[in-house]
Amino acid sequence: MIRVALFASGTGTNAMKLLEAARELHHIEIALVLVDQAKSQLPQRMKNENPRHTYRVKVIERTGTREQHEAQITEALVDAKIDWVFLAGYMRILSSEMTKKFRFINIHPSLLPLYAGLDAYERAFANGDAESGITIHHVDSGVDTGPVIVQEKFPRLTTDTLDSFMDRGKALEWTLYPQVLKKLNDEGTL
Ligand code: GRF
């Protein structure tokens, strides 16, 4: 079994898609779901949409220094014997010590290296780009850097509003991220 942790901070829709996908993947066990903000919608979504499943959800709020927070996260990852961590809207920058200790994967809503950092959809849309895309990549100590696993484009239509543009991107995120989890299941590595 490959033991996977999901980390989220906000709405948690990608994490939900990964949880759903994992049900069909016989070599993947989601052994930990970690949320770092009490206001994240993910725990409630999991209760509403997955009432039969009892995943281990941990809320580790960042209260002290980054070092203290990462020490708590490390303990949770070691306790759950995690092999891979999928970041799903986790709004923290991990230290290089963390990224050396564990294998992290991230999803970013742009054609990296374009629009690394926050508000990638908004910036691509404001710039009037004819297309944008989604990138799933290994995490290193930089911000949205690290080797790319998969990158896929989606078009911006002339009729798009920011909302319809983001909806098209999110739909692609929800397809691509589970595909990467399946690749890990099938190939044993990424
Ligand atoms: C997604 O757009 C993802 O690409 C980015 O953060 C957002 C998280 O959305 N890293 P959700 O919490 O999965 O709905």
Side-chain angles (χ1 to χ4, degrees):
M1 270 295 180
I2 302 171
R3 296 175 66 81
V4 171
L6 307 181
F7 282 16
S9 301
T11 52
T13 60
N14 278 287
M16 289 304 298
K17 295 289 174 188
L18 292 171
L19 286 166
E20 251 171 73
R23 283 192 228 161
E24 314 295 322
L25 301 175
H26 301 303
H27 304 300
I28 298 285
E29 181 173 344
I30 307 292
L32 174 67
V33 179
L34 191 143
V35 164
D36 72 335
Q37 297 206 14
K39 63 178 197 302
S40 166
Q41 295 164 32
L42 181 58
Q44 194 54 45
R45 270 181 202 278
M46 287 173 69
K47 277 193 198 123
N48 294 347
E49 295 175 34
N50 261 332
R52 288 175 298 118
H53 293 269
T54 49
Y55 291 105
R56 199 168 144 182
V57 183
K58 255 197 145 132
V59 179
I60 301 185
E61 277 191 79
R62 181 160 167 187
T63 44
T65 62
R66 178 157 96 171
E67 289 70 24
Q68 288 164 341
H69 182 68
E70 289 193 347
Q72 287 180 299
I73 291 174
T74 301
E75 198 183 317
L77 291 173
V78 170
D79 270 4
K81 299 186 175 60
I82 296 301
D83 302 306
W84 293 83
V85 182
F86 278 54
L87 304 179
Y90 184 70
M91 302 302 287
R92 304 268 175 217
I93 295 165
L94 297 163
S95 69
S96 56
E97 290 74 35
M98 276 305 273
T99 59
K100 278 179 204 141
K101 267 190 266 181
F102 301 97
R103 290 175 288 193
F104 290 93
I105 304 299
N106 186 41
I107 183 164
H108 186 77
S110 76
L111 294 172
L112 288 174
L114 291 177
Y115 309 116
L118 294 175
D119 301 327
Y121 280 125
E122 286 81 352
R123 285 184 288 143
F125 187 78
N127 209 32
D129 296 0
E131 62 182 14
S132 190
I134 304 299
T135 306
I136 296 171
H137 63 98
H138 293 272
V139 176
D140 61 15
S141 56
V143 177
D144 299 320
T145 53
V148 170
I149 298 166
V150 64
Q151 188 164 65
E152 211 168 295
K153 293 176 179 171
F154 66 91
R156 176 202 172 128
L157 307 181
T158 48
T159 50
D160 265 344
T161 59
L162 175 61
D163 280 349
S164 61
F165 176 74
M166 285 176 68
D167 286 348
R168 190 170 312 108
K170 283 291 252 204
L172 183 57
E173 292 190 38
W174 298 335
T175 318
L176 278 187
Y177 220 6
Q179 283 174 10
V180 171
L181 190 63
K182 182 170 186 321
K183 183 175 159 69
L184 178 61
N185 176 79
D186 296 350
E187 299 175 17
T189 191
L190 289 172

